[in-house]
Amino acid sequence: MKIKFIAMIIIVIALMGACTRNSDNQSGSAAPYTIEVGGSTSVTPLMELFAEEYQKLFPHIKVNINGTGSGDGIRNAGVLYQIGMSSRDLTPAEQGQGLNAITVAIDGIAVIMNNNSPVNNLSLEQIRDIYTGVATNWNAISGGSKSGRIAVISREEGSGTRGAFEELVGFQGRLVAGANESTSTGAIKAGIVQNADSIGYISLGSVDETIKAISVSGVAPTNDNVKSGAYQIARPFIVLTGNNVHPEANAFVDWMLSPAGQAIVSRGWITVR
């Protein structure tokens, strides 16, 4: 009887140890963790939606998002940020930094104007002329429907949106002197609202009722037109990680590409899967 009793005690102790280990493992897998994300202000609205839903699914995860521009997101991916954000492709020099670049969405760049402007369509050439200073007054390109000095609004140097816009429209490095170089999507929209003679550009996913997105070469800036290639001013939304990415950050990126993550993309952007 003693031997049986001792054997039972040993079994109970072993089972208690196993339960403790399992409990430790479970609490370890759900340990609080903060994912630092930074970069493109154009990607930021999408990233905020990603973070909101992901944190509901995984309450132990907190996602801090810093809209600091694509250049910063690329430079500091794997340094200040576990995940960097860029709204432009990496340059050859940046590609040599050992970053993992993953496209999570495609975005159109909308050319925007004040709601009171009668101009609803411009060709790529006209947009290029405006942004390089060839055309400086609306009466030169509006067919007489509008006059007034054109107030050109652009993003700041290093912005992924600016880099993509200049490349796609065809005026890299030739922005007209005196253009208002804004540091965020919100600042551009505010400038458009305040000046009926202004023109700017922002992510298609950031267009709202405060401004209007015009057609380019007769093609409306819609998701369907971006996806088909009919609307020509479009660029990738990229997330970047370093070589030693934390498993939690890696899991978050994988989730962005999952059906649940891509369903969020479809709310205002173009899915990649």
Side-chain angles (χ1 to χ4, degrees):
M1 291 292 294
K2 272 187 179 181
I3 294 175
K4 288 184 179 180
F5 181 71
I6 292 171
M8 288 178 63
I9 291 176
I10 292 172
I11 292 171
V12 169
I13 291 172
L15 289 172
M16 289 176 63
C19 289
T20 300
R21 286 192 298 275
N22 287 337
S23 176
D24 288 344
N25 287 338
Q26 290 172 4
S27 62
S29 65
Y33 187 76
T34 298
I35 302 173
E36 295 290 343
V37 182
S40 170
T41 61
S42 294
V43 181
T44 293
L46 174 59
M47 187 60 66
E48 288 173 342
L49 294 176
F50 280 152
E52 180 182 3
E53 185 62 26
Y54 197 73
Q55 288 168 150
K56 290 178 185 175
L57 296 171
F58 303 97
H60 67 289
I61 295 295
K62 180 180 180 182
V63 182
N64 281 340
I65 303 170
N66 304 278
T68 53
S70 293
D72 180 67
I74 295 168
R75 284 190 302 273
N76 285 305
V79 184
L80 294 179
Y81 314 124
Q82 285 98 329
I83 299 172
M85 302 181 290
S86 175
S87 55
R88 64 169 173 81
D89 289 315
L90 275 63
T91 65
E94 291 165 343
Q95 291 173 2
Q97 295 175 10
L99 296 173
N100 301 307
I102 303 104
T103 299
V104 296
I106 304 295
D107 180 54
I109 300 176
V111 178
I112 60 171
M113 298 189 66
N114 187 282
N115 283 326
N116 293 323
S117 172
V119 178
N120 295 303
N121 177 73
L122 292 171
S123 68
L124 274 176
E125 182 179 5
Q126 287 174 320
I127 296 168
R128 185 165 55 248
D129 286 348
I130 289 171
Y131 273 86
T132 56
V134 173
T136 60
N137 196 293
W138 283 113
N139 60 18
I141 58 174
S142 67
S145 65
K146 179 176 176 57
S147 63
R149 186 168 183 79
I150 302 171
V152 177
I153 303 178
S154 180
R155 282 298 302 271
E156 80 285 6
E157 187 70 41
S159 158
T161 309
R162 173 171 168 171
F165 185 75
E166 290 190 358
E167 180 180 352
L168 293 165
V169 177
F171 66 100
Q172 298 98 313
R174 295 188 288 135
L175 179 65
V176 60
N180 181 343
E181 298 184 54
S182 299
T183 58
S184 70
T185 296
I188 287 186
K189 288 162 72 173
I192 296 293
V193 169
Q194 293 166 10
N195 189 343
D197 291 328
S198 60
I199 183 171
Y201 55 88
I202 60 173
S203 163
L204 179 56
S206 296
V207 172
D208 59 27
E209 70 282 354
T210 65
I211 44 84
K212 70 175 181 180
I214 67 170
S215 295
V216 175
S217 300
V219 180
T222 66
N223 285 351
D224 286 344
N225 286 338
V226 171
K227 198 165 190 175
S228 71
Y231 186 81
Q232 300 175 48
I233 310 178
R235 43 62 187 283
F237 275 2
I238 297 170
V239 295
L240 306 137
T241 59
N243 290 324
N244 297 315
V245 59
H246 191 280
E248 293 286 14
N250 194 49
F252 184 34
V253 172
D254 287 344
W255 179 85
M256 295 177 201
L257 296 170
S258 73
Q262 290 295 292
I264 290 174
V265 171
S266 69
R267 296 180 191 177
W269 299 270
I270 309 301
T271 58
V272 294
R273 288 191 179 178

